[in-house]
Amino acid sequence: MLSHPHEVFLEVAQRLSFTKASQALFTSQSAVSKQVKALEEHYKTGLFERLGSSIQLTPAGRKLYEKLLQAKQLQQELHQEMSALSPDFAPTQHLLIGASTTISLYVLPPVVSAYLQKHPNRQLSLKNRNSDNILRALLDHEIELGIIEGIHKVSNVTYTPLLTDDVVAVCAAGNPLAGRTLEVRDLLTTPLALREAGSGTLAVLEEALARHRIKLAALPVRVRLGGTEALKNFVRVDTCLAFLPRQAVLKELASGEFSEVKIRDFSLRREFNFIQRKGTENNAPYKDFLQFTRRYYSGKE
């Protein structure tokens, strides 16, 4: 078992921030600093180099971080093997998962609830970021399992399909565009509200435009907003057209608050995939959650 000071050190090393580590651990920053200082006294060397308001690992800190990641993996494997040998052995397991905005807000809540009811000895932390940042969090060992839009060309990551979803053009019900069918070229003169760079939704739109030889930079974009909910709230009070995941606007379309604007011969379909670092695919609790989620949504597309 990793000691508490080593667990605290891992949090600080992953985030390179005492403040963020204390928030993740639900403890004070002074308590985190105390645990790290105890390790530095134990190893007789500094583990972090303070650079103004930021920190970075020293060579000793990097070595400790690498070894602790290996030890944590071995600990997880031990728990899984001991659980198979002894049904009464059921340690609390904490899953670190990250997902892009649409998945976090509209897809995962019901499946997470069902999963935790089935596995009361498991806890789950979910990071909600755009797809690029979730991939980065996986590579930085902040999470052990991610769900993102599309496939990024990263050699040490494996992808497992979850589900597909459409991105649709929507506007407020009172917008003059409501109920209309546009041509793709009409987008060159239609005020737009779009997601921020790094968003999977934006990437799908850019790919679809490229098929029609239109560059994203050529569109009259009035605003870029970080997050699906921010974009929805803007559409409610403005005359812009926005591209949003269908999963995110099902209620608004059903109630008549939003109207879908059809665009002829312009299909925006995207895939959501689980991502894992190569070599961690058989980590039992994460493999179980992946399979549980795929079963939950099979046939629901």
Side-chain angles (χ1 to χ4, degrees):
M1 294 289 292
L2 295 183
S3 70
H4 179 60
H6 285 114
E7 293 279 10
V8 171
F9 169 81
L10 271 175
E11 285 291 339
V12 180
Q14 286 171 346
R15 302 167 194 281
L16 290 179
S17 168
F18 284 86
T19 301
K20 291 179 181 179
S22 66
Q23 292 169 348
L25 294 166
F26 301 100
T27 189
S28 67
Q29 188 171 330
S30 61
V32 169
S33 298
K34 183 178 179 181
Q35 296 295 336
V36 171
K37 185 178 180 180
L39 282 181
E40 290 179 326
E41 291 176 352
H42 175 75
Y43 291 112
K44 309 300 182 186
T45 186
L47 300 173
F48 293 99
E49 182 179 357
R50 279 72 173 178
L51 302 170
S53 59
S54 63
I55 61 172
Q56 66 180 26
L57 288 163
T58 64
R62 284 195 297 273
K63 178 60 66 176
L64 180 60
Y65 179 55
E66 292 168 3
K67 294 299 182 181
L68 287 178
L69 287 177
Q70 296 173 16
K72 191 151 192 162
Q73 179 66 29
L74 287 172
Q75 178 176 285
Q76 292 170 342
E77 292 174 5
L78 175 62
H79 283 172
Q80 138 185 1
E81 292 172 11
M82 292 302 292
S83 295
L85 293 170
S86 174
D88 292 333
F89 179 70
T92 299
Q93 294 176 310
H94 191 176
L95 278 66
L96 300 173
I97 295 173
S100 59
T101 305
T102 301
I103 292 291
S104 294
L105 294 178
Y106 310 105
V107 175
L108 278 185
V111 72
V112 167
S113 176
Y115 180 80
L116 293 179
Q117 288 178 37
K118 183 179 178 182
H119 301 282
N121 66 317
R122 291 182 184 170
Q123 301 171 346
L124 189 149
S125 292
L126 176 64
K127 293 183 183 295
N128 172 13
R129 302 177 183 173
N130 69 31
S131 291
D132 282 358
N133 286 326
I134 290 300
L135 177 60
R136 190 173 299 114
L138 181 79
L139 296 174
D140 290 343
H141 293 262
E142 291 182 34
I143 59 174
E144 295 300 319
L145 178 68
I147 310 174
I148 65 172
E149 301 162 38
I151 293 179
H152 300 233
K153 295 179 179 179
V154 180
S155 61
N156 60 332
V157 172
T158 59
Y159 294 81
T160 305
L162 172 56
L163 51 79
T164 57
D165 184 33
D166 292 322
V167 173
V168 294
V170 300
C171 64
N175 191 312
L177 293 171
R180 288 183 55 189
T181 297
L182 304 179
E183 302 295 333
V184 178
R185 304 297 298 182
D186 291 332
L187 294 176
L188 292 169
T189 56
T190 303
L192 300 174
L194 301 180
R195 285 287 304 276
E196 81 287 0
S199 159
T201 302
L202 185 67
V204 168
L205 173 62
E206 193 166 11
E207 290 170 5
L209 288 168
R211 291 194 291 270
H212 290 267
R213 295 183 174 82
I214 297 176
K215 294 184 178 181
L216 186 65
L219 302 183
V221 180
R222 289 184 58 191
V223 65
R224 289 177 181 267
L225 295 169
T228 302
E229 288 299 315
L231 194 54
K232 286 167 62 176
N233 287 333
F234 185 81
V235 169
R236 288 186 172 98
V237 298
D238 195 84
T239 56
C240 278
L241 184 70
F243 288 90
L244 285 159
R246 186 177 295 279
Q247 290 276 352
V249 292
L250 287 174
K251 291 182 180 179
E252 289 81 3
L253 290 174
S255 69
E257 182 182 9
F258 286 175
S259 174
E260 181 176 351
V261 178
K262 301 287 187 181
I263 303 174
R264 210 182 314 273
D265 300 323
F266 197 61
S267 175
L268 287 79
R269 193 160 181 81
R270 61 191 184 159
E271 296 182 352
F272 292 110
N273 294 287
F274 284 102
I275 54 172
Q276 295 169 282
R277 294 186 303 278
K278 286 186 177 178
T280 68
E281 297 90 344
N282 291 321
N283 190 325
Y286 294 98
K287 182 178 180 180
D288 184 47
F289 179 81
L290 184 155
Q291 293 174 340
F292 183 93
T293 305
R294 294 188 75 196
R295 287 195 302 269
Y296 187 93
Y297 279 106
S298 63
K300 290 195 175 187
E301 295 185 39

